[in-house]
């Protein structure tokens, strides 16, 4: 068995372990709500609110965020449609996801990527909120595994993509 096969086997075991212990109604309900936080519109609303009402760094936060998301989204789509990893809920006929995913492929997680962009921006502009931002981002990513639409490595890849594009977006915004 090569390294990629070992990684996929580990990923599948981790996925089923999480889903074996977390399929209770309270966990599924909270996972749905947490996952919805990562849909994207909340990030834009918070960014606009900060730009309007937080005079010190709000506008800078919004501008750097728009730059970061302008980098993250096309990279996410390119990776997802190039790698084309099937979602776990589409591979196992005996497993039913708690939600219907918006597309066919799972790698990387767009919810995780967007959440980690936002958390990284918070860490840069509002350091006192960094821990809260990263905990929420991790919860968004974890909720996607619990809902049955992502493997753990999809979340890890999304987190790396999100943090990388946020840092690049901040750097580009600062350069201009």
């Amino acid at each position: 068995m090569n390294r990629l096969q070992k990684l996929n086997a580990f990923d599948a075991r981790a996925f089923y372990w999480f889903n074996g212990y977390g399929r209770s109604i309270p966990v599924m309900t909270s996972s749905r709500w947490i996952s919805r936080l990562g849909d994207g519109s909340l990030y834009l609303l918070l960014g606009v609110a900060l730009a309007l009402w937080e005079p010190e760094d709000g506008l800078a936060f919004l501008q750097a965020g728009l730059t970061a998301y302008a980098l993250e989204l096309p990279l996410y789509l390119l990776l997802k449609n190039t790698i084309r990893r099937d979602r776990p809920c589409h591979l196992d006929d005996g497993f039913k996801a708690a939600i219907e995913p918006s597309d066919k492929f799972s790698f990387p997680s767009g919810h995780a990527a967007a959440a980690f962009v936002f958390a990284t921006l918070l860490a840069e502009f509002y350091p006192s909120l960094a821990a809260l931002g990263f905990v929420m981002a991790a919860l968004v990513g974890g909720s996607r595994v619990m809902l049955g639409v992502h493997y753990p490595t999809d979340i890890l890849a999304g987190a790396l993509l999100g943090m990388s594009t946020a840092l690049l977006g901040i750097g580009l915004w600062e350069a201009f």
Side-chain angles (χ1 to χ4, degrees):
M1 186 181 287
N2 67 32
R3 288 184 185 181
L4 184 56
Q5 289 171 323
K6 287 180 183 178
L7 179 61
N8 281 334
F10 170 79
D11 216 16
R13 281 192 310 272
F15 172 81
Y16 285 113
W17 183 85
F18 281 111
N19 277 279
Y21 289 102
R23 297 297 279 192
S24 68
I25 291 172
V27 170
M28 288 295 103
T29 302
S30 60
S31 291
R32 280 189 181 98
W33 282 105
I34 292 167
S35 178
R36 285 187 187 128
L37 293 175
D39 286 346
S41 55
L42 180 62
Y43 304 132
L44 181 59
L45 288 172
L46 290 172
V48 169
L50 285 170
L52 292 173
W53 293 300
E54 201 283 295
E56 190 172 327
D57 290 319
L59 184 58
F61 179 89
L62 177 63
Q63 291 170 335
L66 291 173
T67 303
Y69 283 111
L71 296 168
E72 178 268 329
L73 185 59
L75 283 172
Y76 152 76
L77 290 170
L78 177 68
L79 288 168
K80 184 166 275 214
N81 291 301
T82 300
I83 296 168
R84 302 171 64 95
R85 182 184 197 186
D86 288 325
R87 292 184 182 274
C89 59
H90 294 153
L91 288 175
D92 182 349
D93 291 335
F95 180 84
K96 179 151 175 48
I99 61 170
E100 184 60 36
S102 60
D103 59 39
K104 184 176 179 177
F105 303 118
S106 71
F107 187 92
S109 166
H111 278 76
F116 278 91
V117 166
F118 195 81
T120 304
L121 289 164
L122 280 177
E124 175 70 20
F125 289 95
Y126 304 99
S128 64
L129 297 176
L132 176 64
F134 283 111
V135 166
M136 287 306 301
L139 288 171
V140 167
S143 74
R144 303 298 288 172
V145 175
M146 299 307 296
L147 292 170
V149 295
H150 281 290
Y151 292 104
T153 55
D154 300 340
I155 306 308
L156 179 61
L160 292 172
L161 174 64
M163 289 185 290
S164 301
T165 54
L167 293 172
L168 184 56
I170 291 165
L172 288 171
W173 172 79
E174 288 175 343
F176 296 101

